[in-house]
Structures are given as C-alpha cells and as structure tokens.
Short mmCIF file of all heavy atoms in Angstrom, two decimals:
data_model
loop_
_atom_site.label_atom_id
_atom_site.label_comp_id
_atom_site.label_asym_id
_atom_site.label_seq_id
_atom_site.Cartn_x
_atom_site.Cartn_y
_atom_site.Cartn_z
N LEU A 490 -1.56 -8.89 -2.18
CA LEU A 490 -2.98 -9.23 -2.33
C LEU A 490 -3.82 -7.99 -2.61
O LEU A 490 -4.86 -8.08 -3.26
CB LEU A 490 -3.48 -9.94 -1.07
CG LEU A 490 -2.88 -11.34 -0.83
CD1 LEU A 490 -3.41 -11.96 0.44
CD2 LEU A 490 -3.14 -12.26 -2.02
N LEU A 491 -3.38 -6.84 -2.13
CA LEU A 491 -4.06 -5.60 -2.48
C LEU A 491 -3.91 -5.33 -3.98
O LEU A 491 -4.88 -4.96 -4.66
CB LEU A 491 -3.47 -4.44 -1.66
CG LEU A 491 -4.16 -3.08 -1.81
CD1 LEU A 491 -5.57 -3.10 -1.24
CD2 LEU A 491 -3.33 -1.99 -1.11
N GLN A 492 -2.71 -5.55 -4.50
CA GLN A 492 -2.47 -5.35 -5.93
C GLN A 492 -3.30 -6.32 -6.78
O GLN A 492 -3.79 -5.96 -7.85
CB GLN A 492 -0.98 -5.55 -6.26
CG GLN A 492 -0.08 -4.43 -5.79
CD GLN A 492 1.37 -4.72 -6.11
OE1 GLN A 492 2.01 -5.56 -5.49
NE2 GLN A 492 1.90 -4.02 -7.11
N LEU A 493 -3.45 -7.55 -6.29
CA LEU A 493 -4.20 -8.57 -7.03
C LEU A 493 -5.71 -8.39 -6.94
O LEU A 493 -6.46 -9.03 -7.67
CB LEU A 493 -3.83 -9.96 -6.50
CG LEU A 493 -2.42 -10.46 -6.80
CD1 LEU A 493 -2.15 -11.78 -6.08
CD2 LEU A 493 -2.21 -10.63 -8.31
N GLY A 494 -6.16 -7.52 -6.03
CA GLY A 494 -7.59 -7.33 -5.86
C GLY A 494 -8.22 -8.29 -4.87
O GLY A 494 -9.46 -8.28 -4.69
N SER A 495 -7.41 -9.11 -4.21
CA SER A 495 -7.96 -10.04 -3.20
C SER A 495 -8.28 -9.33 -1.90
O SER A 495 -9.04 -9.85 -1.08
CB SER A 495 -6.96 -11.17 -2.94
OG SER A 495 -6.69 -11.88 -4.13
N LEU A 496 -7.67 -8.17 -1.68
CA LEU A 496 -7.99 -7.31 -0.55
C LEU A 496 -8.44 -5.95 -1.08
O LEU A 496 -7.94 -5.48 -2.11
CB LEU A 496 -6.77 -7.12 0.36
CG LEU A 496 -6.22 -8.34 1.09
CD1 LEU A 496 -4.93 -7.97 1.82
CD2 LEU A 496 -7.25 -8.91 2.06
N ASP A 497 -9.37 -5.33 -0.35
CA ASP A 497 -9.84 -4.00 -0.73
C ASP A 497 -9.09 -2.91 0.04
O ASP A 497 -8.85 -1.82 -0.50
CB ASP A 497 -11.33 -3.88 -0.45
CG ASP A 497 -12.13 -4.92 -1.21
OD1 ASP A 497 -12.08 -4.92 -2.45
OD2 ASP A 497 -12.80 -5.76 -0.55
N PHE A 498 -8.76 -3.20 1.28
CA PHE A 498 -8.03 -2.27 2.13
C PHE A 498 -6.96 -3.03 2.91
O PHE A 498 -7.08 -4.25 3.11
CB PHE A 498 -8.96 -1.58 3.14
CG PHE A 498 -10.02 -0.71 2.55
CD1 PHE A 498 -11.31 -1.19 2.36
CD2 PHE A 498 -9.73 0.60 2.18
CE1 PHE A 498 -12.29 -0.39 1.82
CE2 PHE A 498 -10.72 1.42 1.64
CZ PHE A 498 -12.00 0.92 1.46
N ILE A 499 -5.95 -2.31 3.36
CA ILE A 499 -5.00 -2.88 4.31
C ILE A 499 -4.85 -1.89 5.47
O ILE A 499 -4.97 -0.67 5.28
CB ILE A 499 -3.62 -3.18 3.67
CG1 ILE A 499 -3.02 -1.93 3.02
CG2 ILE A 499 -3.76 -4.30 2.65
CD1 ILE A 499 -1.63 -2.16 2.44
N VAL A 500 -4.59 -2.42 6.66
CA VAL A 500 -4.42 -1.60 7.84
C VAL A 500 -3.00 -1.78 8.36
O VAL A 500 -2.58 -2.90 8.65
CB VAL A 500 -5.45 -1.97 8.94
CG1 VAL A 500 -5.10 -1.29 10.26
CG2 VAL A 500 -6.84 -1.57 8.49
N ALA A 501 -2.27 -0.67 8.47
CA ALA A 501 -0.89 -0.73 8.90
C ALA A 501 -0.37 0.69 9.09
O ALA A 501 -1.10 1.67 8.91
CB ALA A 501 -0.03 -1.47 7.87
N SER A 502 0.91 0.78 9.47
CA SER A 502 1.58 2.07 9.54
C SER A 502 1.83 2.58 8.12
O SER A 502 2.43 1.87 7.31
CB SER A 502 2.92 1.91 10.28
OG SER A 502 3.79 2.96 9.95
N PRO A 503 1.40 3.80 7.79
CA PRO A 503 1.64 4.32 6.45
C PRO A 503 3.13 4.37 6.09
O PRO A 503 3.51 4.07 4.95
CB PRO A 503 1.03 5.74 6.51
CG PRO A 503 0.00 5.66 7.58
CD PRO A 503 0.57 4.70 8.61
N THR A 504 3.97 4.76 7.04
CA THR A 504 5.42 4.81 6.77
C THR A 504 5.95 3.45 6.40
O THR A 504 6.70 3.30 5.42
CB THR A 504 6.17 5.35 8.00
OG1 THR A 504 5.68 6.64 8.34
CG2 THR A 504 7.66 5.43 7.73
N LEU A 505 5.56 2.44 7.16
CA LEU A 505 6.02 1.09 6.89
C LEU A 505 5.53 0.57 5.55
O LEU A 505 6.29 -0.01 4.76
CB LEU A 505 5.55 0.15 8.01
CG LEU A 505 5.78 -1.33 7.71
CD1 LEU A 505 6.72 -1.94 8.70
CD2 LEU A 505 4.46 -2.08 7.71
N ILE A 506 4.26 0.80 5.26
CA ILE A 506 3.70 0.29 4.01
C ILE A 506 4.35 0.95 2.80
O ILE A 506 4.51 0.31 1.75
CB ILE A 506 2.16 0.48 3.99
CG1 ILE A 506 1.51 -0.53 4.97
CG2 ILE A 506 1.59 0.27 2.60
CD1 ILE A 506 1.78 -2.01 4.62
N GLN A 507 4.76 2.20 2.92
CA GLN A 507 5.48 2.82 1.81
C GLN A 507 6.77 2.10 1.52
O GLN A 507 7.15 1.92 0.35
CB GLN A 507 5.74 4.30 2.11
CG GLN A 507 4.49 5.17 2.13
CD GLN A 507 3.80 5.28 0.77
OE1 GLN A 507 4.36 4.89 -0.26
NE2 GLN A 507 2.60 5.79 0.76
N TYR A 508 7.49 1.66 2.56
CA TYR A 508 8.71 0.87 2.38
C TYR A 508 8.40 -0.44 1.66
O TYR A 508 9.08 -0.83 0.70
CB TYR A 508 9.37 0.57 3.73
CG TYR A 508 10.30 1.63 4.23
CD1 TYR A 508 9.83 2.73 4.93
CD2 TYR A 508 11.68 1.54 4.03
CE1 TYR A 508 10.69 3.71 5.40
CE2 TYR A 508 12.55 2.51 4.49
CZ TYR A 508 12.04 3.59 5.18
OH TYR A 508 12.88 4.57 5.65
N VAL A 509 7.38 -1.13 2.15
CA VAL A 509 7.02 -2.44 1.59
C VAL A 509 6.53 -2.28 0.16
O VAL A 509 6.89 -3.07 -0.73
CB VAL A 509 5.95 -3.12 2.47
CG1 VAL A 509 5.49 -4.43 1.84
CG2 VAL A 509 6.50 -3.37 3.87
N ALA A 510 5.71 -1.26 -0.09
CA ALA A 510 5.16 -1.05 -1.42
C ALA A 510 6.26 -0.75 -2.44
O ALA A 510 6.21 -1.20 -3.59
CB ALA A 510 4.14 0.07 -1.39
N SER A 511 7.27 0.02 -2.01
CA SER A 511 8.37 0.33 -2.93
C SER A 511 9.11 -0.93 -3.35
O SER A 511 9.58 -1.04 -4.49
CB SER A 511 9.32 1.34 -2.29
OG SER A 511 10.00 0.77 -1.18
N ARG A 512 9.21 -1.89 -2.43
CA ARG A 512 9.84 -3.17 -2.78
C ARG A 512 9.04 -3.90 -3.85
O ARG A 512 9.60 -4.65 -4.66
CB ARG A 512 9.93 -4.07 -1.54
CG ARG A 512 10.85 -3.60 -0.44
CD ARG A 512 10.73 -4.56 0.73
NE ARG A 512 11.58 -4.20 1.87
CZ ARG A 512 11.53 -4.82 3.03
NH1 ARG A 512 10.71 -5.83 3.21
NH2 ARG A 512 12.32 -4.43 4.01
N ALA A 513 7.71 -3.70 -3.83
CA ALA A 513 6.83 -4.37 -4.80
C ALA A 513 6.67 -3.59 -6.08
O ALA A 513 5.91 -3.97 -6.96
CB ALA A 513 5.46 -4.61 -4.16
N GLY A 514 7.40 -2.46 -6.21
CA GLY A 514 7.35 -1.69 -7.42
C GLY A 514 6.24 -0.65 -7.48
O GLY A 514 5.99 -0.07 -8.55
N LEU A 515 5.57 -0.40 -6.36
CA LEU A 515 4.52 0.62 -6.33
C LEU A 515 5.11 2.00 -6.04
O LEU A 515 6.02 2.14 -5.23
CB LEU A 515 3.50 0.29 -5.24
CG LEU A 515 2.46 -0.80 -5.51
CD1 LEU A 515 1.61 -1.03 -4.28
CD2 LEU A 515 1.58 -0.43 -6.69
N ARG A 516 4.59 3.00 -6.71
CA ARG A 516 4.96 4.38 -6.41
C ARG A 516 4.16 4.87 -5.21
O ARG A 516 3.04 4.40 -4.97
CB ARG A 516 4.68 5.30 -7.60
CG ARG A 516 5.40 4.92 -8.87
CD ARG A 516 5.17 6.01 -9.94
NE ARG A 516 3.77 6.41 -10.04
CZ ARG A 516 2.87 5.78 -10.80
NH1 ARG A 516 3.23 4.70 -11.51
NH2 ARG A 516 1.62 6.21 -10.85
N PRO A 517 4.70 5.82 -4.45
CA PRO A 517 3.97 6.33 -3.29
C PRO A 517 2.58 6.85 -3.62
O PRO A 517 1.65 6.70 -2.83
CB PRO A 517 4.88 7.46 -2.77
CG PRO A 517 6.23 7.08 -3.22
CD PRO A 517 6.05 6.40 -4.54
N ASP A 518 2.41 7.44 -4.82
CA ASP A 518 1.09 8.02 -5.16
C ASP A 518 0.08 6.97 -5.59
O ASP A 518 -1.08 7.31 -5.88
CB ASP A 518 1.25 9.09 -6.25
CG ASP A 518 1.79 8.53 -7.57
OD1 ASP A 518 2.14 7.33 -7.61
OD2 ASP A 518 1.86 9.29 -8.55
N GLN A 519 0.47 5.69 -5.64
CA GLN A 519 -0.48 4.65 -6.00
C GLN A 519 -1.28 4.14 -4.78
O GLN A 519 -2.23 3.40 -4.95
CB GLN A 519 0.24 3.48 -6.67
CG GLN A 519 0.74 3.79 -8.07
CD GLN A 519 1.43 2.61 -8.72
OE1 GLN A 519 2.64 2.39 -8.54
NE2 GLN A 519 0.68 1.84 -9.48
N LEU A 520 -0.84 4.52 -3.59
CA LEU A 520 -1.56 4.19 -2.37
C LEU A 520 -2.11 5.46 -1.76
O LEU A 520 -1.49 6.53 -1.83
CB LEU A 520 -0.63 3.51 -1.36
CG LEU A 520 -0.21 2.08 -1.62
CD1 LEU A 520 0.85 1.65 -0.61
CD2 LEU A 520 -1.40 1.14 -1.54
N GLU A 521 -3.28 5.36 -1.15
CA GLU A 521 -3.82 6.51 -0.44
C GLU A 521 -4.49 6.07 0.86
O GLU A 521 -4.96 4.94 0.98
CB GLU A 521 -4.81 7.30 -1.29
CG GLU A 521 -6.12 6.62 -1.56
CD GLU A 521 -7.09 7.53 -2.30
OE1 GLU A 521 -6.62 8.53 -2.89
OE2 GLU A 521 -8.29 7.25 -2.29
N ILE A 522 -4.50 6.96 1.82
CA ILE A 522 -5.12 6.70 3.12
C ILE A 522 -6.61 6.99 3.02
O ILE A 522 -7.02 8.09 2.64
CB ILE A 522 -4.47 7.55 4.22
CG1 ILE A 522 -3.01 7.13 4.42
CG2 ILE A 522 -5.26 7.44 5.53
CD1 ILE A 522 -2.25 8.00 5.41
N SER A 523 -7.41 5.99 3.37
CA SER A 523 -8.86 6.17 3.42
C SER A 523 -9.31 6.66 4.79
O SER A 523 -10.17 7.54 4.90
CB SER A 523 -9.58 4.86 3.09
OG SER A 523 -9.34 4.47 1.76
N LEU A 524 -8.72 6.06 5.85
CA LEU A 524 -9.08 6.43 7.22
C LEU A 524 -7.83 6.41 8.07
O LEU A 524 -7.06 5.45 8.03
CB LEU A 524 -10.08 5.43 7.81
CG LEU A 524 -11.48 5.34 7.21
CD1 LEU A 524 -12.20 4.11 7.78
CD2 LEU A 524 -12.27 6.61 7.51
#
C-alpha cells in the first residue's frame, strides 16, 4: 500500500521492513527513515 500511494508512511522495525521490501522488489535505497 505504500508503493501504491494508499499509505504515506509505515511504522515498523527498519530491519524487518527491509526484508519485506526486498520480497516486493524494492531496493534498500528506495525506503528512508523519517522518524
């Protein structure tokens, strides 16, 4: 939903989200920590 634009931010463990994002085809540099 973040990729689709339905969410603006997500809150989670950065380490975990990197695992999940890689499954969805995202590169690590496509996500960044805001807070």
Side-chain angles (χ1 to χ4, degrees):
L490 293 179
L491 185 66
Q492 287 178 287
L493 291 173
S495 300
L496 295 174
D497 301 300
F498 296 97
I499 56 177
V500 169
S502 158
T504 302
L505 170 118
I506 287 299
Q507 291 295 348
Y508 273 84
V509 176
S511 66
R512 293 176 181 173
L515 283 176
R516 301 187 313 274
D518 63 354
Q519 289 181 274
L520 286 173
E521 70 175 18
I522 294 175
S523 295
L524 294 169

